[in-house]
Amino acid sequence: MTALHDIPAWAALLVAALVLIGSSLALIGSLGLLRLKSFYDRVHAPTLGATLGMASILSASILYFSLSQTRPVVHEILIGIFVTVTTPVTLLLLVQATLYRDRLEGRNPLAEKPAPGPQERG
Amino acid sequence: MSGSVLLFALAVGQLFLALAMAAAAFRILRGPRAQDRVLAMDALYVNSMLLLLVFGIGSGTTLYFEAALVIGLLGFVATVALAKFLMRGEVIE
């Protein structure tokens, strides 16, 4: 890792905080991938890193390169738009395929849940 | 002083993202069924994209941004193709 460019102290601290927040969220999401029990629970976990984690690391990158090159560098927005558009599409297709495969094997994953109580219904 | 804080935060962020990739890789190895492995591969792609972005901040060049963009594009295509394969048994109908 080479020497970092000179950026103001507040910006360095802000970039550090954003990177830490984003990587912690990605780590929590991937640990959820390990710990949750069924596929339908696990499909929610990585979206933590794919939404807020990605957004905070991208804004750290935008802030750092805009200040170190002294001009606005916003091409990271491309990744942001692309991932935000594509993540729901991929996960919906994947859950659709999983439901289809579960029904082919004669299992109904939605019937395995306990019956909702009176206060949850509606 | 703030520069060393930034260096430390970048190192910790890279460590966290590497651990996240390891967790996703473990789920790929262990995942009981095929859809678990595809989901873990999607998480692996996103985590490696974030790791490249953090590495790009540390190295100070914007070269790594393009690699991250390519990883994002290919990850989307790969996951959609695998989901279609799980659904239909073939990718291009």
Side-chain angles (χ1 to χ4, degrees), chain A residues 1-5 7-13 15-17 19-20 22-24 26-27 30-39 42-44 46 49-50 53-55 57-58 60-61 64-65 68-69 73 75-79 82-83 86-87 89-91 93-94 96-98 100-102 105 107, chain B residues 1-17 19-24 26-27 30-36 38-40 42-44 46-47 49-51 53-62 65-66 68-69 72-77 79-80 82-88:
Chain A
M1 192 177 286
T2 57
L4 292 167
H5 295 280
I7 61 173
W10 62 269
L13 293 180
V15 168
V19 165
L20 276 184
S23 54
S24 312
L27 180 61
S30 296
L31 286 182
L33 201 61
L34 277 189
R35 292 203 46 172
L36 293 175
K37 296 288 183 237
S38 79
F39 174 81
R42 282 198 283 267
V43 82
H44 297 286
M54 178 205 64
I57 287 184
L58 284 182
S61 182
Y64 177 75
F65 283 114
S68 69
Q69 301 186 5
V73 179
H75 54 208
E76 280 89 353
I77 289 178
L78 262 180
I79 291 185
F82 187 74
V83 172
T86 56
T87 302
V89 176
T90 56
L91 292 184
L93 278 174
L94 197 56
Q96 202 180 9
T98 307
Y100 178 72
R101 281 160 67 92
D102 273 345
E105 294 169 0
R107 287 190 292 158
Chain B
M1 183 272 174
S2 60
S4 59
V5 170
L6 181 54
L7 271 181
F8 177 73
L10 289 177
V12 172
Q14 289 180 28
L15 180 69
F16 279 4
L17 287 168
L19 282 177
M21 285 176 74
F26 188 69
R27 178 52 78 185
R30 226 187 89 191
R33 304 190 65 208
Q35 51 264 29
D36 293 301
V38 177
L39 176 65
D42 193 54
L44 187 68
V46 171
N47 285 332
M49 192 184 74
L50 296 181
L51 183 59
L53 283 172
V54 174
F55 195 78
I57 296 179
S59 68
T61 67
T62 52
F65 159 77
E66 282 140 28
L69 187 59
L73 286 165
L74 288 184
F76 168 65
V77 174
T79 314
V80 167
L82 281 169
K84 277 199 71 104
F85 180 74
L86 289 184
M87 184 92 176
R88 306 267 184 210

Side-chain angles (χ1 to χ4, degrees), chain A residues 40 98-113:
Chain A
Y40 299 99
T98 307
L99 273 172
Y100 178 72
R101 281 160 67 92
D102 273 345
R103 288 209 184 104
L104 270 190
E105 294 169 0
R107 287 190 292 158
N108 187 2
L110 303 177
E112 289 168 10
K113 301 184 103 173

